[in-house]
Amino acid sequence: MTGRTAPSGAWRPPLSLDEYAERARTRLDPAVWDFIEGGAGDERTLAANRAAFDRVRLRPRVLTGAGEGDPSTTVLGRRWAAPMAVAPMAYHTLMHPDGETATARAAGAAGLPLVVSTFAGRSFTEIAAVAGSPLWLQVYCFRDRATTRRLVEQAAAAGFEALVLTADTPRLGRRLRDLRNDFRLPPHITPANLPADEADYSSPSEHGRTGLDPSLDWSVIAWLRSVSPLPVLVKGVMTAEDARCAIAAGADGIVVSNHGGRQLDGTAATLEVLPRIAAAVDGRCALLLDGGVRRGRDVLAALALGADAVLLGRPVLHGLAVAGADGAAGVLDLVLDELSEAMALTGTATAAGADAALLAGPEDTTAVRHHPPGATTTGPEAALPAGPEASPAAGPEDTAAVRHHPPGATTTGPEAPPAAGPENTVPAPHHPPGATTTGPEAPPAAGPENTVPAPHHPPGAAPRDDRRHPPESAARHDRPRPPELAAEAAAETAAEATETAETAEAAGLRKTDLHRSVSDPVLDTMNFLNEITGRFPDVVSFAPGRPYEEFFDKDEILDHVRRYLDHLAAGGASDEAIRTALYQYGPTAGQIRGLISDSLRADEGIDVPPGAIVVTVGAQEGMLLALRALFAGPGDVLLVASPCYVGITGAASLLGVPVRPVEERADGLDVADVEAAVLAERARGRRPRAFYVVPDHSNPSGNTLSRHAREELLELAARHDLLILEDSPYRLVSPGAQLPTLKAMDRMRRVVHLGSYAKSVFPGARVGFVVADQPVRDPSGAESLLADELAKIKSMVTVNTPALSQAAVAGALLACGGRLTERNAVPAKHYGEALRVTLEQLDRHFPEDVRDRLGIGWNRPSGGFFLTVRVPFPADNAALLRSAEDHGVIWTPMAYFYPGPGGERSIRLSFSYLSTARIEDGIARFAAFLRAETERSGATGPTPGRDA
């Protein structure tokens, strides 16, 4: 029995996770069902996890212009398609013969990580071979540390990217269902990654009792660090005190978890304790939540209460039992669809923008509340409304902030702090003289346990390694927390809480007061790179895509300006007119459009009148203007070739334009993939409005579109009523004959050409242009050009492009008769030589047999400033910092350039800024880094999953 069928006989997927669960139950042996579904004791905690989410109420918002929202997020330097991963669960092979390999396929298709259990039924290498997204290893620490070490080393060798230490199992909880069933694993179900002859695994509870180390302390994190370079997260944290201990011990992340209700029964739900733990963490490490997630809106609720992401557990197993990989994928897709729906209906544009304002109502998110004389406080004032499941010892009231009760105020209701104990670090409420406090909110009796402990560095704990928490990752935690959490994080005592509240009141702005785009990680992608460059000025940097400075002469700028002034005079302009042209604002669309038009005709074969051109402050303003004009409603979506220059995705974020990436293949962009994305977006009810592409020597990949692909793309644009945003800044400084631009081939006015003189003249001028010759008709039938509409927008942005900058560029164009290809013959030769030397040095340090063995490779562009190196380890910010510190070389993580997941194991090298001698030195350093990092990660051979 697999569920309902459609009239045609086709299988119809369930419409909710509860339906998946019911279908799975009918397919599984009752004892197996109880094994995966049951909890400890009376299963009160198991029920509480779901009940906590049921009590959350979201606030719908209307007319926000947020569109459907972008659920992608960044965790530990990796971009995820959504703030969700598959939780670690043992023996997926109980659900389906393919086991974890099926789950890995489903997670990869969704762009979500998979946390693989120590007790996985399929080997790490099998799982990694089919994975299309990050893999983490859940670590149980055995009494025999050698077994744990081997397990970690196997996972690292397979390309796993993090360790998740399960810390809440000094012994397994008493699970009554398994005891009643005397549950035993079938003979063919075994842990594929543990030694088969060293233990009896048939009884999970018995093996847990004899095999797991019950004496673990915080020093185990330092031990894990000593055996593996992978980041370490601690799973099972349920108190703020333990969160502080985890951070002090050097954890890279925390998973708030009660083991799905399978350990200590009667504890609080994970969602109930999340806000207090979020306050203690305060953005210092990644924070995830596990337990009870069953709907997309549950994910959004967890983000609003402080989590960076959630783990989804049992429902994935249900999907496996129902239909293998397709069923697991169906579960993930269903939750992601529900999350997108919840984001759209609450006006949440990005996952990073989810905050406490989403919950219940603005009055429920106030940190310090003032109760007038005689007032009685009742009802669910905490961020989580209290319910009958809430325990008086620990529950949603633990998320309440310090409240101030004026004289005579009486407080009743479920606001009490938890019972006294070292883990209960609630600051004591402040009661002014004469205040009367009744009910469960009264503070516990005085004693040493009623103070907040200072950060605790457990015995043997390693000092925190800031390389694992680069400043870039802080952007993930800049998402506004519930306001009461800000007070709790700073208020280690009641007096400090009062001081913090006063300070916060004087500070003025909160992140929630600002536009949601400022919380988008794409706007912070380069901050870490800039910080690294500043900290290590003597390194060889393959990061900046700058022109080579030796070609610039400081006196030449003055010559350019004088040449332009002479040109104006020769054209009959009076001294007064020349003075005005140089000193005043000038026309919004630009005063050198004629010269640009002539140059495009001579150099590029682009034949457009000056009126079809708008001169901009760099190409970046051109992108902003084009997006603002073309994207009229929330249903319009921008397609981008991915990896993608961050300027376009950043502009889209500022304007709230949804972005759909179209990933390049190993040999570049396939136009069939663009068409598939167009059709998929239309099926979702959205209008693909434009496609952004860098067809020549792309930033960042270095790839170039073939002539045939250009013709296909133009034909597709006409067929699907799609505009193309073409950006090609590197072609005029690349050696050899260049293919024609898309705009030169455009016969249907489908291409909006974004131009820049940053590379072909000099970047300091900040002069770009947009060729926008598309006709625009108003309701009366009058016609203008798109360029005219862009100029209107520009008049409200930069007003005009600086006249001095335009004069300098105009003089350069005049000097070469508009033929920049001739002017740049020497620079183009240099950049071609720099590319040749870079490739030659890579080949020298990594001959073909060596790079095949290590799993290292690179593409071979025909020009431009960039190439892509594929590596067998995560090329993240932590690796970049090690590269700078230990080897004196800087590069750019390719993941910066992916709007969604991708590029996690690829590096962008830019060679344009360096002399050939510096390139040789830099590649030698880079090669040493690659070898060291490959050895460090234990990852050799072909890189599993998506690496570029």
Side-chain angles (χ1 to χ4, degrees):
M1 182 74 177
T2 60
R4 298 172 294 175
T5 58
S8 64
W11 179 73
R12 292 180 57 185
L15 300 178
S16 71
L17 296 197
D18 285 343
E19 288 186 27
Y20 269 105
E22 181 56 28
R23 295 192 198 182
R25 186 184 63 79
T26 64
R27 296 177 60 87
L28 295 173
D29 179 275
V32 171
W33 172 257
D34 282 346
F35 173 67
I36 69 166
E37 205 65 12
D42 297 326
E43 299 185 348
R44 291 181 297 163
T45 298
L46 177 66
N49 278 345
R50 293 193 64 175
F53 281 106
D54 290 341
R55 292 195 297 273
V56 170
R57 298 292 181 264
L58 298 179
R59 301 173 65 236
R61 299 295 306 279
V62 298
L63 301 180
T64 62
E68 295 189 14
D70 175 13
S72 64
T73 192
T74 300
V75 177
L76 294 184
R78 290 292 305 269
R79 195 73 168 167
W80 299 2
M84 187 171 75
V86 177
M89 295 170 289
Y91 305 117
H92 292 204
T93 42
L94 280 170
M95 306 296 107
H96 190 277
D98 291 344
E100 288 78 7
T101 57
T103 312
R105 287 190 181 94
L112 303 176
L114 165 63
V115 187
V116 179
S117 170
T118 288
F119 296 100
R122 300 296 294 268
S123 72
F124 295 154
T125 54
E126 290 176 306
I127 299 167
V130 300
S133 55
L135 297 175
W136 292 0
L137 172 66
Q138 176 245 14
V139 178
Y140 281 109
C141 216
F142 295 102
R143 295 173 190 261
D144 178 9
R145 287 287 177 93
T147 298
T148 306
R149 178 192 290 269
R150 286 194 299 270
L151 190 80
V152 170
E153 290 172 344
Q154 292 169 23
F160 284 46
E161 299 181 15
L163 305 177
V164 181
L165 172 68
T166 294
D168 59 1
T169 53
R171 58 174 290 172
L172 292 187
R174 193 165 182 267
R175 302 166 191 175
L176 301 185
R177 297 200 205 190
D178 293 347
L179 293 174
R180 294 188 184 104
N181 294 327
D182 189 24
F183 180 73
R184 294 288 188 274
L185 294 172
H188 65 285
I189 303 295
T190 58
N193 302 287
L194 294 176
D197 56 350
E198 293 186 11
D200 178 9
Y201 302 106
S202 61
S203 171
S205 60
E206 180 61 21
H207 177 257
R209 186 182 65 80
T210 59
L212 300 182
D213 186 350
S215 61
L216 292 181
D217 60 26
W218 291 105
S219 66
V220 70
I221 296 177
W223 180 79
L224 284 172
R225 287 272 185 81
S226 73
V227 302
S228 169
L230 298 179
V232 178
L233 297 90
V234 180
K235 180 174 179 287
V237 171
M238 288 290 289
T239 67
E241 182 187 25
D242 279 349
R244 295 187 188 99
C245 288
I247 293 171
D252 299 278
I254 288 170
V255 182
V256 179
S257 173
N258 54 31
H259 214 99
R262 293 164 71 82
Q263 284 299 100
L264 178 62
D265 196 27
T267 64
T270 53
L271 192 69
E272 293 171 346
V273 301
L274 172 62
R276 180 169 296 281
I277 293 173
V281 170
D282 195 28
R284 290 178 288 172
C285 70
L287 182 62
L288 288 75
L289 174 129
D290 168 68
V293 176
R294 293 297 183 271
R295 295 156 299 212
R297 66 178 182 269
D298 296 346
V299 180
L300 195 58
L303 299 184
L305 288 169
D308 295 313
V310 304
L311 302 181
L312 184 67
R314 291 178 176 94
V316 178
L317 296 184
H318 301 159
L320 275 180
V322 171
D326 289 341
V331 165
L332 297 175
D333 287 346
L334 195 156
V335 177
L336 293 180
D337 283 347
E338 291 177 345
L339 172 60
S340 294
E341 175 189 63
M343 292 179 69
L345 296 179
T346 57
T348 306
T350 64
D355 59 32
L358 291 171
L359 303 176
E363 69 279 2
D364 295 325
T365 63
T366 303
V368 180
R369 295 185 173 84
H370 180 74
H371 302 283
T376 300
T377 303
T378 61
E381 282 196 21
L384 281 171
E389 299 86 351
S391 163
E397 63 279 2
D398 292 348
T399 67
V402 179
R403 294 184 174 86
H404 178 71
H405 304 280
T410 302
T411 304
T412 62
E415 289 188 2
E423 73 281 7
N424 299 326
T425 58
V426 185
H430 176 63
H431 302 281
T436 302
T437 303
T438 61
E441 192 174 312
E449 70 277 10
N450 298 327
T451 61
V452 179
H456 173 58
H457 298 271
R464 182 169 175 79
D465 183 357
D466 285 337
R467 293 180 301 177
R468 295 172 177 259
H469 306 275
E472 179 271 346
S473 65
R476 300 193 309 272
H477 306 291
D478 249 359
R479 183 176 67 247
R481 305 294 189 189
E484 61 266 34
L485 300 189
E488 289 189 17
E492 295 288 337
T493 66
E496 289 174 352
T498 303
E499 180 182 351
T500 300
E502 292 171 354
T503 303
E505 187 173 336
L509 289 178
R510 298 175 300 169
K511 201 86 174 259
T512 49
D513 296 326
L514 306 180
H515 187 265
R516 57 184 173 272
S517 64
V518 301
S519 296
D520 190 332
V522 74
L523 300 189
D524 200 48
T525 51
M526 294 302 172
N527 285 355
F528 179 63
L529 193 63
N530 293 336
E531 193 240 351
I532 288 291
T533 303
R535 285 172 57 187
F536 302 99
D538 297 327
V539 301
V540 178
S541 179
F542 289 100
R546 296 180 177 182
Y548 188 52
E549 287 195 357
E550 294 299 317
F551 296 123
F552 299 144
D553 181 343
K554 67 180 187 300
D555 296 327
E556 194 175 31
I557 294 177
L558 301 177
D559 293 339
H560 289 331
V561 173
R562 171 54 61 187
R563 186 177 297 109
Y564 177 60
L565 299 183
D566 292 344
H567 166 76
L568 293 179
S574 64
D575 287 346
E576 291 77 10
I578 294 174
R579 183 179 62 196
T580 299
L582 205 60
Y583 283 92
Q584 293 291 359
Y585 293 107
T588 298
Q591 60 189 32
I592 64 170
R593 292 185 292 168
L595 291 174
I596 294 174
S597 175
D598 292 342
S599 177
L600 288 173
R601 190 175 302 108
D603 239 348
E604 298 280 35
I606 297 175
D607 189 3
V608 294
I613 297 170
V614 177
V615 184
T616 60
V617 181
Q620 189 66 38
E621 187 190 26
M623 295 174 193
L624 192 74
L625 299 178
L627 292 183
R628 180 65 293 156
L630 296 174
F631 290 78
D636 291 343
V637 62
L638 172 67
L639 308 182
V640 298
S642 179
C644 181
Y645 170 57
V646 296
I648 190 71
T649 50
S653 176
L654 290 175
L655 298 173
V657 174
V659 172
R660 165 70 180 256
V662 181
E663 289 203 18
E664 292 184 350
R665 303 192 181 193
D667 57 350
L669 182 72
D670 190 321
V671 176
D673 294 335
V674 181
E675 184 163 35
V678 168
L679 296 175
E681 288 301 315
R682 285 186 175 163
R684 297 180 64 189
R686 303 206 293 189
R687 178 175 67 157
R689 191 74 175 97
F691 174 60
Y692 172 85
V693 64
V694 181
D696 299 286
H697 323 300
S698 157
N699 177 11
S701 70
N703 290 330
T704 294
L705 270 182
S706 68
R707 181 167 190 132
H708 177 65
R710 294 171 197 238
E711 292 169 347
E712 283 189 318
L713 187 57
L714 288 168
E715 190 275 330
L716 179 147
R719 188 168 67 252
H720 289 291
D721 191 22
L722 186 72
L723 291 172
I724 298 172
L725 302 181
E726 178 186 31
D727 184 11
S728 272
Y730 306 100
R731 53 186 284 111
L732 297 183
V733 287
S734 294
Q738 301 294 318
L739 292 168
T741 65
L742 289 165
K743 189 60 187 175
M745 300 169 65
D746 181 23
R747 300 292 174 262
M748 303 293 292
R749 299 192 186 184
R750 287 285 162 190
V751 178
V752 176
H753 185 83
L754 304 167
S756 169
Y757 292 113
K759 309 301 186 291
S760 55
V761 180
F762 61 91
R766 299 300 300 130
V767 173
F769 59 90
V770 182
V771 178
D773 60 346
Q774 290 72 23
V776 177
R777 295 176 182 84
D778 68 16
S780 69
E783 188 172 285
S784 61
L785 293 179
L786 178 60
D788 299 321
E789 311 307 318
L790 300 186
K792 293 177 185 176
I793 301 171
K794 179 177 172 64
S795 71
M796 294 294 135
V797 181
T798 58
V799 182
N800 74 323
T801 303
L804 277 173
S805 293
Q806 292 189 66
V809 169
L813 293 175
L814 289 165
C816 63
R819 295 187 179 275
L820 290 174
T821 48
E822 295 179 3
R823 177 184 187 272
N824 288 316
V826 173
K829 182 179 179 180
H830 165 80
Y831 297 129
E833 179 69 5
L835 172 57
R836 184 193 65 78
V837 171
T838 303
L839 291 170
E840 179 184 82
Q841 292 300 307
L842 287 171
D843 287 336
R844 184 171 77 82
H845 287 280
F846 296 101
E848 187 172 359
D849 61 327
V850 175
R851 57 182 181 256
D852 287 346
R853 174 169 54 82
L854 297 180
I856 294 170
W858 50 84
N859 65 340
R860 296 179 180 273
S862 58
F865 288 8
F866 312 101
L867 61 83
T868 303
V869 180
R870 299 178 301 280
V871 296
F873 52 82
D876 54 17
N877 286 342
L880 174 57
L881 187 53
R882 289 192 293 273
S883 180
E885 285 182 336
D886 301 337
H887 301 280
V889 63
I890 292 176
W891 37 267
T892 309
M894 278 290 285
Y896 284 4
F897 303 98
Y898 280 77
E904 294 86 357
R905 292 169 182 259
S906 293
I907 287 170
R908 188 193 78 170
L909 293 185
S910 175
F911 42 80
S912 59
Y913 192 59
L914 302 173
S915 67
T916 54
R918 289 287 279 173
I919 290 173
E920 291 178 0
D921 179 29
I923 292 298
R925 301 183 188 197
F926 182 64
F929 160 72
L930 292 185
R931 292 178 184 276
E933 198 71 11
T934 301
E935 180 179 353
R936 181 177 184 276
S937 66
T940 58
T943 303
R946 177 174 53 206
D947 63 358

